[in-house]
Amino acid sequence: MKATAAVPRSTLSVTTPRKLNHSASVAPVVPRRLLISSAIKPTAARSASSANKGVGLGSRLLRASATASDTSSNDGLNRDGLTSWDPTNWVEPAAHNKNSFRFLAICAVVAIAATSSNAISPKWGAFIHMVAFATWFGSNFWTTFIGGITMYKNLPRQTFGSLQSKLFPKYFQLSAATIVTSLITLKAFSGADKSVYITLGVALLTTLVNLLWLEPASTKVMFERYSLENEKSRSEEESSRLSKLKKEFGKFHGISSMMNLIALCGSVAHAFWLSMKLI
């Protein structure tokens, strides 16, 4: 007989499973995905409801704006009472209510204050005077003999007129400002008699006449003439009006050219006076 090895008692003991207490309530195990989805659904529902409300409000606003646009298109006016945003629909400001007049008024006050005191040293006064006069003389010479003639010969007539209507106000404003500056700083030169002041004063007067009266009047007549010229068919009354506008524009243009020529002669005379100071 084979001998059987002795097995310890502890290794032969079998663990008996404990009985579950079925009377105790056990919470069911719910998967984590179901918990997350159940939490998201109410939030998504509320978001969808808010989105639907937003869409409904947006659609109502669009319908209201479309109705307003239809109403405005029926009477040809927008909510401001204008057919479109056009600056010409506003009242043309008076000459004294423009920035150019305000600027010249400020320059005049500064001129009075500067001539009645020694606020500007002679050296700085002479420097500012030379720069201002050179700017005035150069812009006047260029506009009269080079720029204007070149544009007139190379641009269509109405295009040339429209461009000049934008350039001439700036040109006259620059001329007036530089002449006023020259008058302010003229005190820096010794021996400046009344004739020098009169020369610059006359040039300033003719420039202001161009700036405040002749240029706006001629531009208004010019654009009215262009509007009649661009019509496909004109009545006899419109044709008569067109011929009158041509004559009126020619009158304003001739006077304006004469005023500009007087200012140019004044600049040449002042240049001659300055050159005598260099000798």
Side-chain angles (χ1 to χ4, degrees):
M1 292 180 64
K2 294 182 179 179
T4 303
V7 180
R9 182 179 294 271
S10 59
T11 59
L12 293 177
S13 62
V14 178
T15 303
T16 305
R18 296 180 181 179
K19 294 183 180 181
L20 294 176
N21 188 3
H22 294 286
S23 61
S25 60
V26 179
V29 179
V30 182
R32 185 177 182 83
R33 292 182 196 170
L34 294 178
L35 289 175
I36 296 174
S37 61
S38 61
I40 290 176
K41 284 181 180 179
T43 306
R46 288 193 297 269
S47 301
S49 176
S50 301
N52 292 332
K53 290 181 180 179
V55 172
L57 179 60
S59 61
R60 287 196 297 272
L61 290 175
L62 289 175
R63 286 195 297 268
S65 62
T67 304
S69 63
D70 293 339
T71 304
S72 63
S73 61
N74 291 333
D75 58 7
L77 300 176
N78 58 15
R79 62 181 181 86
D80 297 323
L82 303 175
T83 55
S84 60
W85 177 253
D86 187 0
T88 58
N89 289 324
W90 297 93
V91 178
E92 178 69 18
H96 63 275
N97 197 24
K98 294 183 178 180
N99 290 332
S100 57
F101 185 86
R102 298 187 185 100
F103 178 77
L104 292 175
I106 294 173
C107 289
V109 173
V110 174
I112 296 173
T115 53
S116 60
S117 63
N118 294 324
I120 303 176
S121 65
K123 292 182 179 180
W124 277 106
F127 172 75
I128 296 173
H129 183 91
M130 294 298 296
V131 172
F133 171 73
T135 304
W136 170 40
F137 181 79
S139 62
N140 197 328
F141 189 88
W142 173 269
T143 302
T144 304
F145 295 106
I146 301 176
I149 296 175
T150 303
M151 289 185 289
Y152 177 76
K153 291 183 177 181
N154 293 276
L155 290 176
R157 181 170 56 86
Q158 292 191 7
T159 304
F160 169 74
S162 300
L163 179 60
Q164 292 292 72
S165 68
K166 302 297 183 183
L167 289 177
F168 271 140
K170 295 178 174 57
Y171 162 64
F172 292 131
Q173 290 172 9
L174 177 64
S175 298
T178 50
I179 295 173
V180 170
T181 305
S182 299
L183 284 169
I184 294 174
T185 56
L186 192 58
K187 189 179 179 181
F189 296 91
S190 60
D193 53 6
K194 291 183 179 180
S195 62
V196 181
Y197 285 94
I198 292 174
T199 300
L200 293 178
V202 172
L204 177 62
L205 178 62
T206 56
T207 303
L208 291 177
V209 170
N210 262 327
L211 174 63
L212 301 176
W213 175 46
L214 293 174
E215 191 279 327
S218 59
T219 300
K220 181 180 179 181
V221 172
M222 180 187 68
F223 280 116
E224 186 178 354
R225 173 187 172 185
Y226 287 171
S227 63
L228 290 177
E229 289 177 346
N230 293 331
E231 291 184 358
K232 295 181 179 180
S233 60
R234 292 190 295 268
S235 61
E236 294 182 0
E237 182 179 357
E238 291 176 341
S239 299
S240 176
R241 175 62 179 167
L242 181 59
S243 62
K244 291 180 181 179
L245 289 174
K246 290 180 180 179
K247 294 179 181 179
E248 191 174 1
F249 177 79
K251 178 185 69 175
F252 283 126
H253 185 267
I255 299 174
S256 178
S257 298
M258 180 61 66
M259 295 293 104
N260 186 70
L261 179 60
I262 293 174
L264 177 62
C265 292
S267 66
V268 173
H270 191 65
F272 182 81
W273 179 82
L274 284 176
S275 65
M276 294 298 101
K277 290 294 180 179
L278 300 177
I279 299 175

